[in-house]
Amino acid sequence: MPQDFKIIENEISGEVKLKILRRDTQYVPREVLQDASIFRQVTVLDICNCRIVELEGRIFSKLQNLTKLLAARNQIKYLSGRISECEFLTHINLECNLLEMIPSEIGQLKNSLLVLKLT
């Protein structure tokens, strides 16, 4: 796996975190999106402080076991409505971004979503 990211497994909680380490990217690296074996197990996506400007829909269609999206302190302007494909999502942190609107599809997470941080 490239050095730009790391998989961290927590045996106690059962979480499998994908942590993007590269701080000068605008998008989630393509290498991550192409490795289906990574996505099957990831429950936490941590992309804080990466200067990301957009969370593309294909990310959410591959992260079907995602429970936490940690995307604070980026430059995200657009969040795909496909976030609703992550039906187990309980925590979303989008603090300190440039979001102009939140997709209405986020309302489809009403049975799972516990925390939504925007400011």
Side-chain angles (χ1 to χ4, degrees):
M1 181 173 333
Q3 299 175 22
D4 291 345
F5 34 99
K6 175 172 152 182
I7 296 284
I8 304 163
E9 295 185 49
N10 184 326
E11 293 180 17
I12 296 171
S13 69
E15 288 184 340
V16 178
K17 180 189 284 191
L18 173 59
K19 172 80 175 152
I20 304 295
L21 302 173
R22 190 171 173 191
R23 301 290 182 210
D24 62 347
T25 186
Q26 291 187 340
Y27 301 93
V28 174
R30 287 185 183 176
E31 298 86 358
V32 175
L33 297 174
Q34 293 171 350
D35 191 340
S37 64
I38 291 175
F39 281 96
R40 283 190 210 111
Q41 56 182 321
V42 170
T43 58
V44 179
L45 177 61
D46 185 348
I47 54 172
C48 294
N49 298 304
C50 290
R51 297 185 184 153
I52 291 179
V53 297
E54 179 180 347
L55 290 176
E56 304 169 80
R58 63 186 175 153
I59 294 169
F60 301 117
S61 66
K62 294 183 180 191
L63 289 170
Q64 296 178 357
N65 291 315
L66 192 67
T67 60
K68 295 180 184 174
L69 172 61
L70 309 176
R73 295 174 299 284
N74 280 290
Q75 298 170 4
I76 299 170
K77 295 178 183 177
Y78 174 76
L79 179 64
S80 170
R82 291 180 71 182
I83 193 169
S84 65
E85 294 180 30
C86 300
E87 61 184 78
F88 303 111
L89 202 52
T90 60
H91 292 75
I92 300 174
N93 186 343
L94 292 165
E95 292 178 306
C96 301
N97 277 286
L98 303 173
L99 282 171
E100 295 176 8
M101 62 178 278
I102 296 178
S104 61
E105 292 88 348
I106 209 162
Q108 295 173 14
L109 299 171
K110 65 183 175 193
N111 293 326
S112 65
L113 191 61
L114 301 173
V115 176
L116 175 61
K117 294 183 179 181
L118 299 173
T119 59

